[in-house]
Amino acid sequence: MSLMRATSPHARAGDSTAKVMLQVAAATLPGVLALVIYFGIGVLINIALCSITALACEAAIVKLRQRPVAFYLKDCSAFVTALLLGIALPPYCPWWLPVIGASTAIVLAKHLYGGMGYNPFNPAMVGYVVLLISFPVDMTRWVGPAEIINGAPGIDEALSLVFGFGGYNVDGFTRATPLDIVRLNESVLLSQLYATEPVLDQGTVAGLGWEAANFGFLIGGLFLLFRRVITWHAPVAMLGTLTLMSLLFYDSGSSLSEGSPMLHLFSGATMLGAFFIITDPVSGATSNKGRLTFGAGVGLLVYIIRAWGSYPDAVAFAVLLMNFAAPTIDNYTLPRTYGHKSARRATDLEER
Amino acid sequence: MLDWFSEISTPLLILGGMALAFGALLGFAAVRFKVEGDPLVEQVDALLPQTQCGQCGYPGCRPYAEAIVHGEKINKCPPGGQSTINALANLLDVEPMPLDAEHGEEKETKMVAFIREAECIGCTKCIQACPVDAIVGAAKYMHTVISDECTGCDLCVEPCPVDCIEMVPLETPLQGWHPEKPPEGIELIASDRRQLSKRSAA
Amino acid sequence: MSSEQQQLRRESALERRAAREAQLIASDQKRQKARALRPNDFPGGVYPPENKHQSTGEPIGSIPLAEQLVVPLLQHTGSTAIPLVKLGETVLKGQKIAEADGLISCSLHAPTSGKVVAIEPAAVPHPSGLPADCITIDADGEDRWCELQPCEDFRRFTPVELLEKIRDCGISGMGGAGFPTAVKLDPHGGVEIDTLIINGTECEPYITADDMLMRERAEEIIAGVEIISYILDEPERVLIGIEDNKPEAIAAMRAAAEGTRFDIVVFPTKYPSGGEKQLIQILTGREVPNKGLPANVGIVCQNVGTARAVYRAVRFGEPLISRVTTVVGKALERQRNIEVPIGTPIKHILKAHGAHRGLMQKVIIGGPMMGYTIDDTSAPVIKTTNCLLVPTVEELPPAPPAQACIRCGFCAEACPASLLPQQLYWYARADDHEKLQAYNLFDCIECGCCSYVCPSSIPLVQYYRAAKGDIRTAEQEKEKADRARERFEFRKLRMERAEKEKQAKREARRKAAELARRQREESGGAEAEAAQKEADLVAAALARVKAKQASPEQQLARAQRSLTSAEGRVERLQQKLEAAEEKQRDQLAAQLKAAELKLQEARQKLAEAERQAETAAEAGRESTPGQDDPQARAQSAIEKAKAAAAARAAMSPAEKLAGEIDALKARVEKARARLEKACSAGDANVEAFEKALQNLQQKLEAKLREQKQAGEEKQ
Ligand code: SF4
Ligand code: SF4
Ligand code: SF4
Ligand code: SF4
């Protein structure tokens, strides 16, 4: 009889990385659903393209690095990255955008840095930003909500748009996003703008479709919070800062206003970013205090870029910029350990 | 004429003033923050294992430290082994090299000298040999090793006329035991994995 | 209205007011107390399945005595105890068999009567699996007690006497690490203890030893708490903390504590609320300072089992020789708590509980969160063994392979010490000791919460344990190296000084000789001249001794000759001195002095020549004379060793062996020569030399055999 030697603890909570990832994936469902309802099946095509590319890239790289492929694919992290990227890309974009984006995310942003757990930047956002900078035109063409463009593209239309046959042009479907509208407006009062622009007019606060999608992601985020997959710190800090900033520069709805808080909260990729992107633990800050700082930083940057930058939405840039700052934030936001009078800094010992 | 003069003199004055100020500052710093002794020797010495065995060819660790600072190779200390070499390489910012086998091999286990006391004739020869005074005893009386102070340098074994000193492995008491770091598993890079599979096959 | 009536009324009014005030004060105190007793929460923690019902179905039982009991000498935190008994000695139950070694140590007692059959390393319950010294007792089955000293009223003794009693009874903490109780209860350098905490938390899953103890022996525990509280000079508050998942135990303890000032505090179940630091935080809101002890914040913490042991020690004089242990796990037929003598082999217990060999995958000492596995079930139960957990594979499956850390932060949320386990893991893997300390590695209580929740199933705690051990070892080595450096430098200094002194002496001698010569030249006495000649002869002889070409034997002979002559001269001079006239006396005295000095020198030279002759004989070749400088000698030894090492390194194993044999042969020869010399000289050490020669010969033979074997193997 040989007895096993093992170190404590001998019991485990039974969570696995795959389970965590799948919960994240499940939590995107309401938002994706809203996107499908309002913008058609384009987002699904994106997700599918991204996922296939990402999994293929992951498998290839893992194979190249001589590690067990199945073991790594099973952790589902590549799938979640692809999912988030697919959601962020404009629907009905040409097929090579998701493919390039997903492969950049997996190969460049993840595996070149050492794979899962080592990437300093959020892979999905790296993929997104690479595309945004390389193909700004394709990346900023968002289709309008179905009701405004008289019905979203059907399956055949969608496929021909994506794969570029049949002579359809996506321009026939695209409309300015609410954020674009508000940012470019310099002449009329916000209330007039809301009355004249169909997207805003038919929506309640932040534009038809957009508000629903954001609401969906909010619900998904709350689910994650409830499941304790994420903590409240980063989302609350980001949304709080964003609200505060938009209140400060609301300018009571004048023509120079940068938009109401509700517009900022429920338009663009705000909720997706708050609950799914900045809560990415690998590239974010570590401690709860750090997460608060990180989230607040993202919120601030999002508003600054939205209001005064030249890109319509800013979550990706804001997240990447804050990823740069994460190690520094970590250094200054160590929690106070039991039995210590005050928190330490990680570099304290070295500086002494 | 005057213009020309002032054009030249102003920068000259400024630069000269700056030079003076910095010179004074540097001079002050040199006096104020003067470092006593040769700090590098201290640093090197601090990394050496202090076994004082002389295997490096110097009569003790400090002389070797001085030699290193004066350009001696850093791979001559078998008791310190590869880890000491690496630390030295790190400190001196040179490439780490493998241990020079000419000076001996790195021992796996720590050893201490043990005198079989019944056989000791009290000749004091080992006392003279021990570099750290780890042996106590007097002429014609039994000697013994203070094992806490013994560095395991081996120098006392040879001089003993009755061959009653032996090197025994240092026991780890239960209190001093600690678990090993878990083996590196899945996250290994390719070359390591091959090694690992070889090791597990053996 | 009479004044009397008025008086009465006033008095009654005063009384009423006083009563009301008293009531107010009392209720206020109650409120305050309630506020003070409201348990706090601590950060983090996990809720593993409790699994406590399996072992609480039966009352505390017992099993037949094992045939052999093994008592490890180290069952506590601190230094190993020193055995007091000899092999073959008969011991009685409760007799002291090992004495505490120093303050932080614990004495041991025979758990039953019988004969000591072994004092040697044996399997002990320890995560290392290393054997350690144990006293093995063959039970005679009679279980005869030695004489005990009961005591009806502990208050007749001073706290110091009681502490002595506790120390004598070998009581150490029975919940965790086994810190000697007497040390913990000693007044700590003037700090005032205002709170005594009795730990009945038992937060680990599966373990119910304290639970059952509280249910069945509540009176004994409370009595023990009384004693401890008395020893600590009646601290202001005595809190008994119990988790709310033990209603029976709480009821029993409440009943037993009725009429005492002890407070039973019940708080929600959460792992690891039973950790000393966490319990202190729950009950008092205070935190034990980093690197400090609970006593630093005025708290002493004791386990309920320890309290009971203290009671039994003081009341009945019983040493700590048995304890209640939970025996649990699905691989057993019967799961319950038993009271077993310390030293009972674990396999004996497992057998008595129907351990199913096929189902047994591991034996865990302690609970699933912090317990460790053993692979030799002949290890005994010791003072800290609170649980034997024998789970099946389904019950506690082995950990899946570790994945990469996804930095999800679950671990940081679960950590009761508010550490960042993911960062610690990172740096532990990189062996970055500095960063580990910056991230407060040493505040980790190794509770296992982080590993428990980690979705990547990384064995985090093992990393921390290893890193802590590495850091400690490195520190110790550093300390030792520093000491060695100091001692080395000191020795160098000492030798330099000795060298200087010698030089000074030589100088003085030279001067004295000079003086004498000058005096002699002045006086020109015939005798003095003769003496001078002789002295010159000595000097010449010495010079010859110094000369390199002389063989050691010659040197020795010469030195001996010069010594005899110098001795003769001194004698003659002395005689002359006695016979000489008054005025010559001073001169002669000076001469005598010089001659005596010469004599001394000659003696020294002789000794040295002898030594050289010896070394020369050893080496079997010409000696290198003039080696009175030890440093030079060390240098040459070093050179030799270096050359040997270099030669060794270049050789194949067979060559190495051959080399070793040659070296041994040379040494044998040396030893033989030494022996012969010693024999002829009638040395007292002849026997020792003989033995050494034999030893060397044996070694040589062994090596030769080895060589032969190796040769055979090759063919
Ligand atoms: S070889 Fe021996 S003496 Fe030389 S540095 Fe190493 S330990 Fe010191
Ligand atoms: S006792 Fe022997 S082995 Fe130990 S330090 Fe001294 S000489 Fe070296
Ligand atoms: S719980 Fe595990 S995977 Fe998550 S951060 Fe901690 S160590 Fe990493
Ligand atoms: S084992 Fe250490 S790091 Fe992990 S949860 Fe417990 S105290 Fe925190």
Side-chain angles (χ1 to χ4, degrees):
Chain A
M1 173 185 63
S2 76
L3 290 173
M4 222 182 83
R5 295 269 300 267
T7 48
S8 64
H10 307 283
R12 291 192 176 270
D15 255 340
S16 71
T17 313
K19 252 192 220 164
V20 173
M21 293 294 171
L22 288 179
Q23 285 185 41
V24 174
T28 58
L29 272 182
V32 172
L33 205 65
L35 282 177
V36 171
I37 290 174
Y38 284 95
F39 299 100
I41 54 160
V43 61
L44 294 184
I45 298 176
N46 280 349
I47 292 173
L49 281 173
C50 283
S51 303
I52 293 167
T53 318
L55 290 180
C57 287
E58 174 100 351
I61 296 259
V62 168
K63 187 102 202 151
L64 257 179
R65 295 175 74 189
Q66 302 198 359
R67 307 192 186 188
V69 176
F71 182 84
Y72 273 92
L73 288 189
K74 261 196 315 208
D75 70 19
C76 296
S77 62
F79 171 61
V80 169
T81 303
L83 181 64
L84 296 178
L85 180 63
I87 294 171
L89 290 178
Y92 312 106
C93 60
W95 62 271
W96 41 268
L97 274 186
V99 170
I100 294 178
S103 48
T104 315
I106 297 296
V107 179
L108 210 66
K110 185 174 170 191
H111 278 292
L112 280 193
Y113 283 104
M116 164 98 136
Y118 294 88
N119 45 308
F121 302 105
N122 188 320
M125 289 302 104
V126 171
Y128 184 84
V129 164
V130 165
L131 293 180
L132 186 57
I133 294 176
S134 315
F135 313 102
V137 179
D138 294 295
M139 284 297 284
T140 45
R141 276 196 291 217
W142 267 84
V143 293
E147 277 168 48
I148 292 169
I149 57 170
N150 305 318
I155 290 192
D156 48 343
E157 280 173 308
L159 289 178
S160 58
L161 279 175
V162 170
F163 293 102
F165 53 82
Y168 283 103
N169 192 339
V170 79
D171 285 343
F173 301 99
T174 47
R175 296 287 182 275
T177 65
L179 282 176
D180 277 335
I181 296 169
V182 174
R183 200 168 59 88
L184 296 174
N185 166 50
E186 274 177 355
S187 48
V188 293
L189 291 180
L190 268 195
S191 48
Q192 289 169 328
L193 201 64
Y194 267 62
T196 51
E197 286 290 339
V199 181
L200 292 170
D201 185 34
Q202 288 182 26
T204 36
V205 286
L208 188 65
W210 292 95
E211 49 195 31
N214 271 292
F215 192 68
F217 288 121
L218 172 63
I219 291 184
L222 293 180
F223 166 74
L224 288 184
L225 272 181
F226 171 71
R227 298 288 306 170
R228 293 170 163 271
V229 172
I230 58 173
T231 61
W232 56 267
H233 303 85
V236 166
M238 169 177 164
L239 298 179
T241 323
L242 194 58
T243 314
L244 196 75
M245 287 300 287
S246 47
L247 265 180
L248 276 180
F249 295 96
Y250 181 46
D251 203 12
S252 57
S254 75
S255 61
L256 289 178
S257 168
E258 302 296 351
S260 69
M262 285 314 259
L263 176 79
H264 279 283
L265 285 183
F266 283 96
S267 199
T270 310
M271 290 297 169
L272 180 71
F275 289 100
F276 293 90
I277 307 288
I278 67 166
T279 51
D280 165 40
V282 179
S283 50
T286 315
S287 63
N288 287 342
K289 257 192 286 174
R291 286 178 184 148
L292 282 174
T293 321
F294 187 85
V298 172
L300 186 72
L301 285 173
V302 164
Y303 189 80
I304 290 175
I305 300 176
R306 273 185 187 175
W308 303 297
S310 56
Y311 285 96
D313 201 358
V315 173
F317 286 111
V319 168
L320 289 187
L321 283 174
M322 285 313 283
N323 283 347
F324 275 114
T328 314
I329 295 176
D330 276 347
N331 188 24
Y332 290 96
T333 52
L334 252 50
R336 185 189 68 86
T337 306
Y338 179 101
H340 287 256
K341 288 224 173 57
S342 58
R344 255 180 173 174
R345 266 180 289 147
T347 44
D348 268 359
L349 278 190
E350 282 164 19
E351 280 163 12
R352 229 185 14 217
Chain B
M1 176 67 204
L2 209 72
D3 267 5
W4 174 82
F5 181 72
S6 74
E7 221 164 77
I8 289 267
S9 69
T10 319
L12 269 184
L13 273 180
I14 290 175
L15 284 179
M18 271 164 72
L20 270 181
F22 283 121
L25 196 70
L26 281 177
F28 171 73
V31 176
R32 176 73 176 74
F33 303 110
K34 186 163 186 268
V35 190
E36 296 294 330
D38 190 347
L40 194 54
V41 172
E42 298 290 334
Q43 282 171 6
V44 172
D45 194 33
L47 291 179
L48 291 175
Q50 304 301 326
T51 309
Q52 315 290 7
C53 63
Q55 272 168 277
C56 51
Y58 293 89
C61 298
R62 204 187 157 87
Y64 181 44
E66 278 157 16
I68 285 179
V69 171
H70 291 113
E72 173 65 292
K73 288 233 180 63
I74 59 172
N75 62 348
K76 298 194 165 178
C77 172
Q82 197 59 47
S83 55
T84 298
I85 296 176
N86 292 348
L88 285 173
N90 193 14
L91 173 71
L92 303 170
D93 206 12
V94 294
E95 275 298 302
M97 38 181 118
L99 182 67
D100 187 353
E102 204 181 286
H103 294 268
E105 294 152 59
E106 186 176 357
K107 287 205 190 84
E108 302 248 310
T109 44
K110 297 222 157 249
M111 308 286 260
V112 284
F114 172 73
I115 296 182
R116 286 192 300 274
E117 287 160 3
E119 291 166 38
C120 171
I121 55 169
C123 69
T124 73
K125 287 207 165 70
C126 51
I127 297 189
Q128 290 159 25
C130 179
V132 291
D133 289 338
I135 305 182
V136 286
K140 301 245 189 299
Y141 287 96
M142 173 198 92
H143 293 11
T144 197
V145 175
I146 315 171
S147 51
D148 274 351
E149 305 294 350
C150 173
T151 63
C153 71
D154 237 9
L155 290 179
C156 53
V157 175
E158 175 71 23
C160 177
V162 293
D163 193 38
C164 73
I165 307 183
E166 59 187 325
M167 302 302 291
V168 293
L170 187 65
E171 286 176 40
T172 11
L174 282 193
Q175 294 102 317
W177 179 86
H178 65 83
E180 304 250 306
K181 209 157 84 162
E184 296 277 319
I186 306 271
E187 286 190 84
L188 295 174
I189 57 169
S191 53
D192 292 346
R193 262 172 63 80
R194 246 173 275 130
Q195 262 178 12
L196 197 74
S197 62
K198 231 186 280 162
R199 211 180 311 150
S200 59
Chain C
M1 215 188 270
S2 72
S3 66
E4 209 172 286
Q5 267 177 325
Q6 270 182 348
Q7 180 76 17
L8 264 177
R9 203 182 300 156
R10 202 162 40 230
E11 266 176 17
S12 67
L14 277 175
E15 264 170 32
R16 268 207 308 278
R17 196 179 307 144
R20 204 169 51 235
E21 259 171 26
Q23 199 188 347
L24 270 179
I25 289 170
S27 70
D28 201 40
Q29 273 174 347
K30 229 190 224 157
R31 249 204 322 273
Q32 258 179 9
K33 190 163 191 180
R35 205 177 308 135
L37 288 186
R38 204 174 41 225
N40 308 284
D41 196 12
F42 63 91
V46 291
Y47 304 90
E50 283 166 25
N51 281 314
K52 301 238 183 200
H53 57 276
Q54 295 99 317
S55 52
T56 49
E58 279 184 56
I60 298 175
S62 62
I63 54 170
L65 193 64
E67 278 165 18
Q68 253 189 1
L69 297 179
V70 185
V71 186
L73 289 175
L74 180 70
Q75 308 189 6
H76 44 263
T77 305
S79 41
T80 309
I82 304 164
L84 292 176
V85 288
K86 281 196 217 51
L87 221 61
E89 203 174 313
T90 319
V91 291
L92 292 175
K93 183 176 183 177
Q95 182 184 332
K96 194 187 268 188
I97 53 174
E99 181 67 80
D101 177 19
L103 183 62
I104 304 189
S105 182
C106 228
S107 46
L108 300 168
H109 302 77
T112 186
S113 58
K115 209 168 96 187
V116 177
V117 291
I119 305 177
E120 60 189 18
V124 293
H126 191 269
S128 66
L130 294 172
D133 286 337
C134 298
I135 299 179
T136 308
I137 297 172
D138 248 343
D140 58 12
E142 290 169 32
D143 227 13
R144 253 178 311 127
W145 274 98
C146 68
E147 206 183 314
L148 301 177
Q149 287 171 325
C151 137
E152 291 283 344
D153 180 16
F154 64 85
R155 284 179 212 279
R156 282 190 299 130
F157 295 102
T158 62
V160 176
E161 285 166 331
L162 289 176
L163 277 176
E164 201 40 57
K165 180 99 202 161
I166 290 171
R167 184 168 297 138
D168 209 45
C169 285
I171 296 175
S172 59
M174 294 171 74
F179 200 79
T181 303
V183 182
K184 238 179 165 182
L185 293 182
D186 223 0
H188 304 269
V191 276
E192 202 189 326
I193 303 298
D194 63 4
T195 308
L196 168 64
I197 290 178
I198 302 297
N199 189 345
T201 319
E202 208 167 50
C203 57
E204 272 246 17
Y206 285 100
I207 310 180
T208 54
D210 287 350
D211 186 3
M212 293 307 287
L213 196 72
M214 286 190 286
R215 290 190 203 183
E216 297 186 17
R217 314 272 201 273
E219 287 80 21
E220 293 189 4
I221 296 172
I222 296 294
V225 178
E226 265 169 7
I227 298 171
I228 295 175
S229 156
Y230 171 72
I231 292 175
L232 290 173
D233 204 13
E234 301 296 346
E236 212 171 284
R237 288 188 298 172
V238 179
L239 309 174
I240 303 175
I242 310 176
E243 269 185 347
D244 64 1
N245 61 354
K246 306 179 186 60
E248 291 96 338
I250 295 167
M253 290 294 282
R254 283 229 163 99
E258 195 71 35
T260 63
R261 64 194 191 89
F262 308 151
D263 295 306
I264 313 277
V265 189
V266 179
F267 47 86
T269 303
K270 171 161 109 176
Y271 179 84
S273 56
E276 192 174 67
K277 292 176 169 180
Q278 276 61 43
L279 185 63
I280 288 171
Q281 196 172 14
I282 291 173
L283 294 184
T284 65
R286 299 180 207 168
E287 285 185 16
V288 181
N290 157 251
K291 289 187 186 143
L293 291 170
N296 295 130
V297 283
I299 293 172
V300 164
C301 206
Q302 287 292 349
N303 173 268
V304 284
T306 320
R308 178 194 177 225
V310 166
Y311 167 71
R312 295 204 71 90
V314 172
R315 174 67 185 79
F316 304 108
E318 267 179 35
L320 179 52
I321 52 168
S322 75
R323 68 156 298 140
V324 176
T325 298
T326 308
V327 188
V328 69
K330 286 219 180 95
L332 299 174
E333 262 160 38
R334 195 170 180 194
Q335 307 181 35
R336 58 167 177 171
N337 278 280
I338 50 169
E339 173 131 28
V340 277
I342 278 155
T344 307
I346 285 166
K347 63 177 174 211
H348 177 76
I349 300 175
L350 295 184
K351 210 161 125 205
H353 289 80
H356 192 291
R357 282 170 165 262
L359 294 178
M360 225 157 99
Q361 48 138 358
K362 49 188 170 186
V363 175
I364 300 170
I365 308 291
M369 297 299 286
M370 290 184 77
Y372 53 89
T373 53
I374 54 166
D375 45 13
D376 189 348
T377 50
S378 59
V381 165
I382 58 172
K383 290 175 184 173
T384 53
T385 314
N386 50 7
C387 181
L388 300 179
L389 173 54
V390 197
T392 56
V393 182
E394 294 78 45
E395 205 174 2
L396 290 179
Q403 280 164 282
C405 167
I406 53 170
R407 295 171 56 89
C408 60
F410 292 179
C411 48
E413 264 164 73
C415 178
S418 305
L419 296 167
L420 292 176
Q422 69 273 54
Q423 301 295 90
L424 289 174
Y425 160 66
W426 193 268
Y427 294 120
R429 272 191 56 186
D431 285 323
D432 190 339
H433 292 175
E434 228 165 64
K435 271 273 191 281
L436 280 171
Q437 273 159 307
Y439 277 91
N440 298 328
L441 172 68
F442 280 93
D443 289 298
C444 165
I445 57 168
E446 298 176 20
C447 64
C449 291
C450 48
S451 306
Y452 179 78
V453 295
C454 177
S456 292
S457 39
I458 302 170
L460 295 164
V461 188
Q462 196 184 342
Y463 278 105
Y464 308 152
R465 289 201 184 110
K468 280 183 186 177
D470 282 342
I471 293 177
R472 281 201 201 103
T473 319
E475 266 168 16
Q476 274 163 12
E477 261 169 26
K478 174 105 193 19
E479 206 179 288
K480 193 170 171 184
D482 284 345
R483 239 177 20 227
R485 180 183 301 123
E486 228 168 73
R487 292 175 80 94
F488 179 68
E489 306 272 299
F490 177 73
R491 180 169 182 266
K492 234 167 60 187
L493 220 74
R494 198 190 64 214
M495 282 186 337
E496 269 162 25
R497 211 174 39 224
E499 187 59 27
K500 254 192 223 128
E501 269 165 23
K502 236 192 238 160
Q503 204 104 43
K505 258 193 211 147
R506 236 178 268 146
E507 192 68 10
R509 270 200 307 264
R510 203 179 49 75
K511 275 207 186 110
E514 194 101 324
L515 191 74
R517 198 170 58 234
R518 231 179 290 132
Q519 278 174 347
R520 198 182 48 235
E521 273 162 12
E522 279 164 22
S523 70
E527 292 91 347
E529 243 169 31
Q532 160 69 24
K533 227 178 253 162
E534 261 163 345
D536 283 347
L537 262 178
V538 173
L542 284 177
R544 276 201 300 280
V545 167
K546 260 190 192 149
K548 281 193 179 185
Q549 57 271 42
S551 80
E553 282 81 8
Q554 283 168 335
Q555 278 181 39
L556 187 59
R558 273 184 212 158
Q560 260 160 354
R561 269 204 308 280
S562 61
L563 178 66
T564 357
S565 65
E567 270 171 345
R569 188 168 133 248
V570 169
E571 241 172 58
R572 257 174 292 146
L573 276 174
Q574 264 166 350
Q575 281 163 9
K576 226 182 273 169
L577 186 63
E578 267 155 26
E581 282 157 18
E582 202 82 312
K583 61 171 183 177
Q584 276 183 333
R585 206 164 261 186
D586 282 347
Q587 275 180 18
L588 276 171
Q591 280 174 9
L592 178 60
K593 190 97 203 135
E596 258 170 5
L597 275 175
K598 289 271 173 208
L599 174 62
Q600 222 171 12
E601 206 178 326
R603 273 211 189 108
Q604 260 175 7
K605 293 278 162 183
L606 173 66
E608 203 187 294
E610 250 169 11
R611 206 163 51 225
Q612 273 165 22
E614 217 168 82
T615 34
E618 275 167 26
R621 59 182 149 90
E622 289 265 304
S623 83
T624 42
Q627 279 198 354
D628 48 359
D629 175 11
Q631 234 170 324
R633 210 176 324 134
Q635 181 73 53
S636 88
I638 285 166
E639 292 296 331
K640 245 192 280 171
K642 198 180 127 190
R648 256 204 310 279
M651 287 185 296
S652 74
E655 281 174 328
K656 241 182 229 177
L657 200 59
E660 273 169 28
I661 287 170
D662 283 345
L664 265 177
K665 272 186 188 150
R667 284 181 79 178
V668 167
E669 281 313 307
K670 243 194 289 177
R672 191 168 288 140
R674 203 184 300 133
L675 177 62
E676 271 160 22
K677 197 179 126 234
C679 275
S680 57
D683 197 312
N685 290 323
V686 170
E687 262 173 49
F689 286 136
E690 241 165 41
K691 185 115 180 280
L693 181 60
Q694 273 167 18
N695 277 350
L696 279 171
Q697 271 166 342
Q698 269 165 19
K699 269 192 204 168
L700 179 62
E701 271 161 35
K703 283 276 179 231
L704 280 173
R705 259 202 305 279
E706 211 176 293
Q707 194 184 28
K708 217 163 106 192
Q709 250 171 24
E712 274 165 15
E713 264 165 36
K714 234 182 229 164
Q715 290 157 13

